[in-house]
Amino acid sequence: MWTAAALLLVATGSAVDADGPARLAPRVRRIVLHVLGGPSYDRPERRFRFFDPPQTQSRWKPRFGTHWIVWTDGSLWPRHPPPGGPRWWTPDTTRPAAAADRRRVAAEAAPVYSHLYNGNSDSLGIELAHSGRSEDPFPAAQVRSVAWLLRTLLDLSGGRLTVADVYGHKDLDRRPAYMRAACERPGCAYFVDEQGRPLRRRVDPPESLFTALAREGLAIPRPKDADADLRRAEAIAPGERPRATGPPTSSP
């Protein structure tokens, strides 16, 4: 009797059969780390706050979102769990993924969701429940689960992916923070700091996440001073919005 997960794996080319070795869908070339909280330039009351996984997923459109939300206790919340299955599960981070967990991860990674500007078809998204502030710690249980998930995904790729293929959202989306979410072209007003420099729309995740993952043995290559734009966003006074100007003459 084949499970729904096994059927999905076969349909997406992610496993040989229900009992065979699982593998990551060939489309996946990048893994992208996000956090739920952030500057929220247009809504000061939402700055550096986040909802729990059910609340977050209920606000997402069906094909929008990341493949998993990792809650503060280390539980994994897949974007669309199998029919009749639990909404969340917690991996045993004290050991490598067992065969059943590998098949589960491969199935949950198979769909394409919208989480990265102009880059969804070849990527996976992992969202951490976190404020997005540079100085706020990531809970140890959460970091262990993210490290376990990353190791499992890299292993499922069969050597195609390495830690060099793990990115922060901010690394891959460098657009200015526009006044309106639908306005992403020259001619739209955008937010700037006190010196008139365009603020980034995406500044997640904080570098403290990569530092914590390095302590778990995952040394992900990082650019120098990668929190510079985040610190500029944090300098905005609570309850205030940056001023707007525009349009940009070139991509900042």
Side-chain angles (χ1 to χ4, degrees):
M1 183 68 179
W2 286 35
T3 65
L7 289 171
L8 176 59
L9 289 167
V10 172
T12 58
S14 299
V16 175
D17 55 49
D19 300 312
R23 58 178 178 267
L24 196 61
R27 72 172 185 85
V28 180
R29 301 290 169 175
R30 296 180 290 183
I31 302 172
V32 186
L33 299 174
H34 308 248
V35 297
L36 290 174
S40 191
Y41 300 105
D42 56 341
R43 295 183 59 191
E45 73 277 10
R46 290 287 308 129
R47 294 186 72 231
F48 301 109
R49 298 177 182 272
F50 60 93
F51 297 107
D52 64 27
Q55 292 173 321
T56 300
Q57 292 175 339
S58 70
R59 287 167 168 78
W60 285 346
K61 296 179 180 179
R63 302 303 298 180
F64 183 85
T66 57
H67 292 74
W68 299 273
I69 296 174
V70 186
W71 186 235
T72 54
D73 63 0
S75 56
L76 304 181
W77 293 71
R79 179 69 187 96
H80 290 298
R87 297 187 67 182
W88 58 272
W89 60 288
T90 303
D92 181 354
T93 60
T94 65
R95 62 177 185 174
D101 287 337
R102 290 168 61 85
R103 288 193 291 271
R104 184 175 200 165
V105 169
E108 292 172 352
V112 176
Y113 298 126
S114 296
H115 67 100
L116 176 65
Y117 178 73
N118 203 29
N120 298 302
S121 63
D122 67 350
S123 65
L124 295 177
I126 302 172
E127 194 97 54
L128 283 81
H130 184 268
S131 70
R133 284 193 180 277
S134 58
E135 298 302 320
D136 289 351
F138 288 85
Q142 186 180 46
V143 174
R144 287 194 296 268
S145 286
V146 174
W148 180 94
L149 181 57
L150 287 172
R151 286 196 184 92
T152 302
L153 290 167
L154 296 178
D155 189 46
L156 287 170
S157 77
R160 183 175 75 248
L161 303 181
T162 70
V163 290
D165 300 300
V166 180
Y167 297 88
H169 191 187
K170 62 190 178 188
D171 303 325
L172 303 174
D173 188 344
R174 304 286 291 170
R175 294 173 295 165
Y178 288 101
M179 292 288 288
R180 292 186 293 112
C183 193
E184 298 168 352
R185 298 177 181 177
C188 297
Y190 58 94
F191 290 114
V192 296
D193 66 8
E194 70 284 351
Q195 298 182 33
R197 297 175 297 181
L199 286 159
R200 298 295 179 189
R201 190 171 181 186
R202 307 299 182 194
V203 292
D204 64 306
E207 288 302 299
S208 56
L209 172 60
F210 296 100
T211 301
L213 288 170
R215 290 195 292 266
E216 292 292 323
L218 287 172
I220 298 167
R222 300 301 305 146
K224 185 178 179 180
D225 198 19
D227 268 348
D229 289 319
L230 173 57
R231 290 196 300 272
R232 288 170 56 207
E234 290 175 331
I236 300 170
E240 294 186 1
R241 296 198 314 178
R243 66 187 179 90
T245 188
T249 57
S250 62
S251 179

